[in-house]
Structures are given as structure tokens and as C-alpha cells.
């Protein structure tokens, strides 16, 4: 799987993915929900989407209603198209 250049990454982080940041070889999205139950519900939805895509983000639940989602392709050593496809799927779940 081919990794993307910094320019390609910047280009993909516009529009629907503008809430994501490029940090340390990954793309990262922080999101706040109404309560802890909603956070866990969202974690489960993201987990199901990740299983379907066979591409798994790091998910951190912190505080009682905050999530941090981190996506990268560890095996490729950087960001790939698969990361942005998963991020788009996650964005659809956040709406």
C-alpha cells in the first residue's frame, strides 16, 4: 500500500475531513458527545465500521464525553488512501 505525500494529505484534509488534523504520521479527530453512554455507543459504531473495512483506528475515551480517533496504516509506515476512506466513514457516523 502506497503512502501519501504531505501535499496529498493536506489536500484530503479539506471539505468533509476538515475537522481532522495531521499529526505524527496519523490523522486525528477529537469529538465531544452528550454523555458517557453516547461516547460508548459511538465507539461501538466506529468499531463496527472498522471491522467492515478491516482497518482499525486507535480510539481514546477521555473525560466522560470526549473521544479521540487516530487513524494510520502502521504496516505502511504512514498514511494511505485506506486511512482517508475510514475517516470519511467515521465522519458519516458523527453526523
Amino acid at each position: 500500500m502506497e503512502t501519501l505525500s504531505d501535499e496529498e494529505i493536506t489536500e484530503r484534509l479539506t471539505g468533509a475531513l476538515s475537522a481532522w488534523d495531521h499529526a505524527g504520521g496519523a490523522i486525528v479527530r477529537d469529538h465531544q458527545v452528550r454523555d458517557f453512554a453516547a461516547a460508548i455507543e459511538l465507539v461501538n459504531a466506529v468499531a463496527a465500521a472498522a471491522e467492515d473495512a478491516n482497518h482499525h483506528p486507535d480510539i481514546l475515551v477521555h473525560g466522560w464525553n470526549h473521544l479521540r480517533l487516530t487513524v494510520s496504516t502502521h504496516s505502511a509506515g504512514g498514511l494511505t488512501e485506506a486511512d482517508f476512506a475510514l475517516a470519511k466513514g467515521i465522519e458519516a457516523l458523527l453526523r
Side-chain angles (χ1 to χ4, degrees), residues 6-73:
D6 286 339
E7 294 80 24
E8 291 170 317
I9 293 166
T10 299
E11 178 182 300
R12 284 162 180 76
L13 291 177
T14 60
L17 297 181
S18 62
W20 293 77
D21 293 314
H22 180 207
I27 52 175
V28 180
R29 169 83 151 89
D30 289 310
H31 187 72
Q32 183 177 346
V33 293
R34 71 184 177 281
D35 57 26
F36 184 74
I40 298 306
E41 186 177 308
L42 182 55
V43 166
N44 288 331
V46 170
E51 281 295 303
D52 288 345
N54 194 30
H55 193 52
H56 305 94
D58 293 336
I59 303 171
L60 171 67
V61 178
H62 58 102
W64 56 275
N65 67 338
H66 291 83
L67 290 113
R68 172 166 281 194
L69 303 155
T70 305
V71 180
S72 68
T73 303

